[in-house]
Amino acid sequence: MERGSGSCFHGIVCHWLVLVLIWLCGCQHVLSQQTTLKPKDKFLLSDPPIGLFDPIEISPSVLPHNTNPVEPLSPMYPNYTSYDPVLTGKCHVNFSDLSFIMDKTASDCSVPLAPLVADVICCPQVSSLMDIFQAAYGGGNNTLVLNQASANACFSDIMSILASKGANTNIPELCTLRPSNLTDASCPVKDISSFERMVNVSKLLDACSSVDPLKECCRPVCQPAIVEAAVHISSGGASMFGSTTIPGSAAGINTVSDCKGVVHSYLSMKLSSEVANTAFRVLSGCKVNKVCPLEFDDPSSVVKACGKASSRPSCCTALQSYIATRQKQIFVTNLQAINCATMFGSMLQKAGVGNDIYGLCDIDLKDFSLQV
Ligand SMILES: *[C@@H]1O[C@H](CO)[C@@H](O)[C@H](O)[C@H]1NC(C)=O
Ligand SMILES: *[C@@H]1O[C@H](CO)[C@@H](O)[C@H](O)[C@H]1NC(C)=O
Ligand SMILES: *[C@@H]1O[C@H](CO)[C@@H](O)[C@H](O)[C@H]1NC(C)=O
Ligand SMILES: *[C@@H]1O[C@H](CO)[C@@H](O)[C@H](O)[C@H]1NC(C)=O
Ligand SMILES: *[C@@H]1O[C@H](CO)[C@@H](O)[C@H](O)[C@H]1NC(C)=O
């Protein structure tokens, strides 16, 4: 308690601020886009606002070395025996050409894991599958999207095949997924020849043919190229600010978002599904890592045990048990864990806990993350 107020706040978040500062230093050029976490009363962080240009702020030095986040969990996967799915017969695509991506998606969304890893692993993978599927379906027919009728049939077939390979049947709910995710309906450009007329495709392919997982989050190359192409085609190829659909308006944002789907579909058509999938997963990984997905509800047990005149053992017991139950909510990445620790630290500080209890109780990143 006698800690000077000048020395790194009250010390509680000091530990983590240092980490975060180190982390930010790796990304100085994007510092201006850094958003501060402001825990609200309920201590619930919503998704980051989706802007046209997602802020990207991750240093290679803290990226997990394992670029495949599924690896550490694989022993938990049951060895599932697949069965033959019943298909609609109305989705005209050769699914055996897509077996790599279907298998990967089914395993990333397997029954026991999907709810835990939805935002981090399952949904990004499903989203990537949608893009790759659109390209596989449309390629050869000069189109980058499905029409609504095909989308309905194919969506149903995709879900049946995934389920037959052991995936959770709740994917549509878990990932807010609908057949319309295959149509990108509000984007005005849907066919390959218009796309290639409007977009500098060599520039796009240069930027996205090999996405470096360590660099892309910090010094994005592919993401801005996708956004640029999406904004361009969303205005029908007109100049960015000369169109009736103003990027930034609600309608404009939906259109650009659908057009991003079209750009992804184009990339999927030009790249192998492995390469496209890796690229998309890296891009969504950069986004996912910016927030803490844990809900820190009612920390009063910790505040009480760790407030004034508290004893160290009871404080640490309360803290450890609180964090342990939060940690089980959901799978978080190392980078999210930093955000979680920072956020929870400042929350406790606001509630009057003045000690550096992370240091006191030997709490570190591992305690916030199942992954490390
Ligand atoms: C699961 O895998 C283990 C070893 O890999 C094997 O012994 C067992 O038979 C498998 N079970 C099923 C249901 O396939
Ligand atoms: C689907 O593609 C596989 C190879 O990727 C091929 O062996 C098979 O004959 C194709 N099926 C149809 C119906 O075209
Ligand atoms: C599907 O589209 C909805 C908007 O219609 C979007 O919110 C959702 O994230 C998309 N799902 C995936 C997995 O891309
Ligand atoms: C190709 O496009 C035409 C016209 O949009 C459509 O009628 C046809 O079903 C499409 N074929 C495939 C395989 O999607
Ligand atoms: C496309 O982009 C490249 C840079 O990647 C540039 O050299 C080229 O001139 C551009 N082509 C057109 C038609 O703008």
Side-chain angles (χ1 to χ4, degrees):
M1 281 321 141
E2 74 275 22
R3 192 187 290 274
S5 58
S7 69
C8 205
F9 299 111
H10 289 342
I12 178 143
V13 284
C14 174
H15 193 124
W16 293 103
L17 278 177
V18 170
L19 257 175
V20 170
L21 283 176
I22 293 169
W23 165 54
L24 289 176
C25 289
C27 277
Q28 270 163 346
H29 60 292
V30 288
L31 256 182
S32 57
Q33 295 178 335
Q34 165 67 8
T35 49
T36 2
L37 294 169
K38 288 196 190 98
K40 291 277 191 295
D41 299 333
K42 280 203 71 199
F43 309 123
L44 236 170
L45 273 193
S46 60
D47 283 345
I50 299 161
L52 292 182
F53 302 93
D54 299 308
I56 305 216
E57 57 223 18
I58 287 158
S59 154
S61 63
V62 286
L63 271 184
H65 293 297
N66 185 351
T67 49
N68 177 1
V70 177
E71 219 100 275
L73 289 167
S74 38
M76 288 163 67
Y77 286 120
N79 42 4
Y80 187 86
T81 320
S82 61
Y83 57 87
D84 282 341
V86 179
L87 303 182
T88 61
K90 291 177 185 155
C91 176
H92 306 290
V93 76
N94 185 344
F95 277 104
S96 33
D97 292 340
L98 290 161
S99 57
F100 160 80
I101 200 76
M102 298 295 280
D103 287 348
K104 170 135 186 59
T105 309
S107 102
D108 283 359
C109 298
S110 70
V111 173
L113 279 179
L116 282 175
V117 301
D119 291 345
V120 194
I121 294 176
C122 170
C123 299
Q125 181 54 44
V126 169
S127 184
S128 174
L129 166 65
M130 294 289 131
D131 296 324
I132 290 168
F133 184 87
Q134 278 177 230
Y137 192 90
N141 206 11
N142 190 36
T143 168
L144 294 165
V145 300
L146 277 67
N147 62 32
Q148 192 60 53
S150 321
N152 291 341
C154 292
F155 187 79
S156 159
D157 283 358
I158 292 170
M159 291 306 141
S160 305
I161 294 173
L162 290 177
S164 78
K165 292 174 186 285
N168 197 298
T169 50
N170 285 337
I171 290 175
E173 292 77 39
L174 285 172
C175 304
T176 357
L177 196 69
R178 289 181 280 274
S180 62
N181 287 77
L182 292 168
T183 65
D184 292 327
S186 68
C187 185
V189 174
K190 300 185 169 71
D191 65 285
I192 298 167
S193 34
S194 313
F195 186 92
E196 291 183 333
R197 237 184 359 258
M198 289 181 193
V199 173
N200 185 338
V201 291
S202 62
K203 189 173 161 194
L204 177 66
L205 289 170
D206 275 354
C208 296
S209 330
S210 92
V211 177
D212 183 328
L214 295 185
K215 289 187 190 139
E216 179 70 23
C217 292
C218 202
R219 266 174 243 273
V221 175
C222 174
Q223 177 72 5
I226 290 176
V227 172
E228 187 187 335
V231 168
H232 194 63
I233 60 174
S234 70
S235 60
S239 85
M240 198 169 146
F241 301 108
S243 78
T244 46
T245 321
I246 298 132
S249 69
I253 287 176
N254 280 341
T255 305
V256 173
S257 161
D258 276 0
C259 285
K260 273 194 201 171
V262 171
V263 179
H264 280 211
S265 174
Y266 184 81
L267 285 171
S268 311
M269 207 184 61
K270 291 291 174 184
L271 307 172
S272 74
S273 46
E274 285 88 343
V275 171
N277 192 61
T278 305
F280 298 153
R281 289 296 301 274
V282 168
L283 297 179
S284 56
C286 296
K287 226 180 286 177
V288 156
N289 282 323
K290 285 185 314 209
V291 286
C292 168
L294 302 183
E295 289 176 20
F296 294 110
D297 54 327
D298 188 19
S300 57
S301 57
V302 180
V303 172
K304 206 152 97 195
C306 301
K308 290 208 166 61
S310 56
S311 81
R312 178 176 158 175
S314 64
C315 167
C316 293
T317 307
L319 181 64
Q320 273 146 9
S321 100
Y322 183 91
I323 293 176
T325 52
R326 296 316 172 282
Q327 180 228 52
K328 289 197 190 90
Q329 282 172 359
I330 196 171
F331 177 92
V332 301
T333 66
N334 294 8
L335 291 165
Q336 288 175 324
I338 294 176
N339 290 334
C340 292
T342 310
M343 186 174 94
F344 186 51
S346 57
M347 209 173 103
L348 290 179
Q349 190 185 31
K350 262 169 76 179
V353 176
N355 283 316
D356 175 9
I357 57 174
Y358 289 156
L360 195 70
C361 302
D362 282 333
I363 297 290
D364 66 28
L365 270 194
K366 278 198 291 302
D367 298 297
F368 285 89
S369 159
L370 288 167
Q371 185 193 22
V372 192

